[in-house]
Structures are given as structure tokens and as C-alpha cells.
Amino acid sequence: MNTQLTVLALATGLLTGALFRFLNVPIPAPPELPGVMGIVGIYVGYKLIDHFDVGVDVLEALGS
């Protein structure tokens, strides 16, 4: 994992969130912890399937 890229992404997110709050507009993300944890869960689930190298190619299964 690229630490510099991760830090830049975090800094960008913090600045964007601060700007949205400063301008008093709603953020384009869940404003409550359960919503944020749902997004984290999606990411962790994706990474787990990737780690165990399992999955189905949907287009191939449909014959496309």
C-alpha cells in the first residue's frame, strides 16, 4: 500500500469535508457513523473476496 497516496487521500477528504461544512451544504456521504461503517463494510468485504481469490465472472456466466 502506498502510504503517501493514503495520506494525500485523507488530507483531500478532510479539506473537502471542511469546505462542505464551511459552505453549509450537505456532504455527499453518510453523515452518521452507521452509514460510514456500511461503506467500510463494503470495502472490507471486497478486499476479503480479493484476498481469498474467489468470485464469479458474471459476464462469462451469462455467455457474453
Side-chain angles (χ1 to χ4, degrees), residues 41-52:
I42 291 170
Y43 175 76
V44 170
Y46 182 91
K47 295 306 272 184
L48 280 172
I49 294 300
D50 191 43
H51 174 75
F52 290 111

Side-chain angles (χ1 to χ4, degrees), residues 11-45:
T12 302
L14 287 170
L15 288 171
T16 304
L19 179 63
F20 272 72
R21 184 63 188 138
F22 180 76
L23 297 174
N24 232 359
V25 295
I27 58 174
E32 302 290 329
L33 184 58
V36 173
M37 292 312 295
I39 292 172
V40 170
I42 291 170
Y43 175 76
V44 170

